[in-house]
Amino acid sequence: MRIVLFGAPGSGKGTQAEFISRDQGIPHISTGDMLREAARNGTEVGLKARSFMDRGALVPDQVMIEVVAQRLEKDDANKGFLLDGFPRTVEQAEKLDDILKLRGTGIDAVLWLEVDDRELVKRLTSRRICSGCGAIYNLLFQAPITPGRCDKCGSSLDQRVDDQQATAQKRLEVYQQQTSPLKDYYLSRGILKKIDGAKSPDEVYSSLKETLRSGRK
Ligand code: AMP
């Protein structure tokens, strides 16, 4: 399946994407993860992207479309994929449709994780990421067993620069202005599925699975 996981920053896309990718055997393509890795490696795209990311702004569409177009050319994306964090603008969505149309395919489902705005800021500022293996924690509902240490690999847990209060708030504003119009874009194509993202990660995943299952019938 070709799936887009859609939702505001902090809606749980990364966590749910890991579950879906594992169960469906499709690659999890997170543009945020790709940009952070590129920035760590000091590539031209990474360095350019970092200046936008650190202030909570979107990286320009042309850069993002190029990054995703190249990623989708890899063999593992032939059997399907899960996009997390892309598209984030109507222009990105249109270009994605064009790329897929050229291959005679399209997006099968857009899963929208809906979470209340007040809850999102709390979640973002409580998120921690393992510096070793990238595992995601949340001090509110998925805290590590030993404070500050990853349960899986024991490395230290970090807060993303853009999860700090002021930048998190800015990212939510950017989401409302530039990304949320995508709901209408996908609604008009009949592939948008709304899921209550306010529940626990396991409950949200049950709803996601059910939605995917009923979409196949
Ligand atoms: P994420 O990890 O998905 O929250 O993304 C972190 C940051 O990476 C965002 O706040 C943007 O600065 C940038 N980014 C990731 N994906 C995109 C995209 N599709 N379009 C523009 N910027 C993006």
Side-chain angles (χ1 to χ4, degrees), residues 7-18 28 30 32-33 36 53 56 84-85 88 113 119-131 134-144 148 156-165 167-169 171-172:
S11 57
K13 296 191 299 295
T15 303
Q16 297 301 325
E18 280 172 24
H28 168 199
S30 155
D33 285 349
R36 279 184 289 278
M53 295 168 81
D84 159 11
R88 259 176 156 104
L113 297 179
E119 174 71 15
L120 289 169
V121 179
K122 273 200 292 179
R123 284 193 186 185
L124 285 171
T125 52
S126 312
R127 177 160 63 181
R128 298 292 181 273
I129 313 286
C130 173
S131 57
I136 307 168
Y137 293 86
N138 196 295
L139 305 182
L140 294 175
F141 49 82
Q142 251 182 322
S156 61
L157 301 184
D158 294 339
Q159 184 177 37
R160 275 169 47 176
V161 178
D162 60 351
D163 278 345
Q164 289 165 15
Q165 179 88 25
T167 315
Q169 197 83 51
R171 287 164 64 210
L172 292 176

Side-chain angles (χ1 to χ4, degrees), residues 9-10 13 30-33 35-36 49-50 52-61 64 68 84-89 92 124 127 160 162-163 171 174:
K13 296 191 299 295
S30 155
T31 43
D33 285 349
L35 295 175
R36 279 184 289 278
R50 177 172 271 165
F52 294 92
M53 295 168 81
D54 284 354
R55 58 190 155 90
L58 292 187
V59 174
D61 285 338
M64 294 314 304
V68 170
D84 159 11
F86 186 95
R88 259 176 156 104
T89 63
Q92 292 179 14
L124 285 171
R127 177 160 63 181
R160 275 169 47 176
D162 60 351
D163 278 345
R171 287 164 64 210
V174 167

Side-chain angles (χ1 to χ4, degrees), residues 41 60 110:
N41 294 337
V110 178

